[in-house]
Amino acid sequence: MTLKLQVGTRKGLFIYERNAAGQWTASDPEFLGDPVTMLLHDHRNGYQYVALNLGHFGVKMHRRSGGSSHWEEIEPPRFPVQDSPSVSAESTEAGESVKDAPSVEQIWELVTGGSDEPGVLWAGTIPGGLFKSADNGSSWQLIEPLWQRPEREFWFGGGYDHPGIHSISVHPDNSRHLSLAISCGGVWQSLDGGGTWELVGKGLRAAYMPPEQAFEQRSQDPHRMVRCPSAPDHLWIQHHNGIFRSIDGGLNWNEIKDVFPSVFGFAVAVHPLNPDIAWFVPGVKDETRVPVDGRLVVTRTRDGGKTFETLCNGLPQEKAYDLTYRHALDVDSDGKVLAFGSTTGNLWVSEDQGDHWQCLSHHLPPINVVRFSR
Amino acid sequence: MAKVIFTPNLERYLDCPPQNVDAESVAEALAQAFEGNQRLAGYILDDQHRLRKNIAVFVDGIMIRDRLGLSDPVQPASEVHVLQALSGG
């Protein structure tokens, strides 16, 4: 099947296809001018989903069936309506409640349910809501048991005003086993399809917290968490201040230090068939968030984090200031083809696991998310 | 009847012609304008039915004050303009 690369940007959706000759061609942009915050291709039924953040007009979602060129606007996730505002709502206690009540500001993650749950989708939002759809996105329900957890009071925004759920992983062998990561709110796990939740993540370390709270699980800022589909107990995190790996389903994490040129970054991808292979796009830590010394590189481990290679063939090695967001790195299902995009609008692909890179465009809008599909 | 007029920038996303409404408040005016076009409501109001942060509503040239309850009065001959707040220079 044709390999496609969907690229969600600050100014629309761009889709690249690799033809039989191995060349990548771009289609005309869709949703031109609209910020695309998340993409999903449902391999179970061919549906595609696009999440937009229109700024003035709020968060929107669109869906189309496989092979169709027509997008249908569907209901986005919404928080339940709290007390009705009164005439003098702003000055009353009840009014304050309404004033502060949540509203979805961004759809930050979209994943499918398990293969035994046709039609089920999961969405993570800013603020940190987890939503489930059982009907291919036609309607959504807030997962209240997570929203009502008392620890949520201690979550905080990392780069945004409010905390958000950006990583959701459905265990491939058990659709009721969910893992998710929150910036900033740590790593959470449910074993009953979202009915109950446990804060996990021993070993994660937050260098930005007071020293005595560095290992507080609810304060962690995992920038991105991914699970190896073929070895689902193996997960990787690109954290705000480091790289972490778990081999027990996310309960315990081992910090991997001294990775050249930096352990800071947002994105991580894991090989779908080999949990020891993972890729990162490092940068100078948080104050500046640009490539170290202006050299854009990808780092790769093939041995579970014992050693790392610095991959730069085809990437700019001077005066490069590209930042790669947490969803802007992806690996194809065969584990060979990689893509990443940057806030500078550059898009690169590699067809040999990162050894060599080719630039597909230097002129895209800032890239939020890249996703392969077939 | 009062008239509700939406920013033409919304036409890019959905139809929203001017609506004549029989209303005494902005909330009533918008509710009537959204009848039969609930998708439009989601472009103007957030999850809590508050005015979206970057939307401005003017009644007869005066920006409304109650963005939560939308209680500002509307007269029979009022014009209610639903506009984008400017951003990005």
Side-chain angles (χ1 to χ4, degrees), chain A residues 32-34 54-58 60 73 78-82 85-87 90 95 98-104, chain B residues 7 9-10 12-13 39 42-44 46-50 52 54-55 65-69 71 84-87:
Chain A
L32 184 61
D34 295 335
L54 297 184
H56 291 92
F57 304 124
K60 309 298 171 201
E73 185 172 345
R78 296 182 197 274
F79 283 95
V81 177
Q82 295 192 6
S86 64
V87 170
E90 265 182 300
V98 172
K99 189 175 181 181
D100 298 333
S103 186
V104 172
Chain B
T7 170
N9 289 330
L10 270 170
R12 184 165 161 225
Y13 303 107
R39 199 155 63 89
Y43 282 70
I44 306 303
D46 70 11
D47 297 3
Q48 302 299 330
H49 300 172
R50 300 167 297 209
R52 290 197 177 278
N54 296 309
I55 296 289
R65 297 180 58 125
D66 182 8
R67 299 177 61 87
L68 298 182
S71 61
Q84 292 169 277
L86 286 182
S87 63

Side-chain angles (χ1 to χ4, degrees), chain A residues 8 34 56 65 116 160-161 207 233 245 256 277 319 329 337:
Chain A
D34 295 335
H56 291 92
S65 57
D116 59 338
Y160 292 92
D161 289 344
D233 281 342
R245 186 190 192 206
I256 297 169
I277 302 177
K319 298 178 180 176
L329 167 68
V337 186

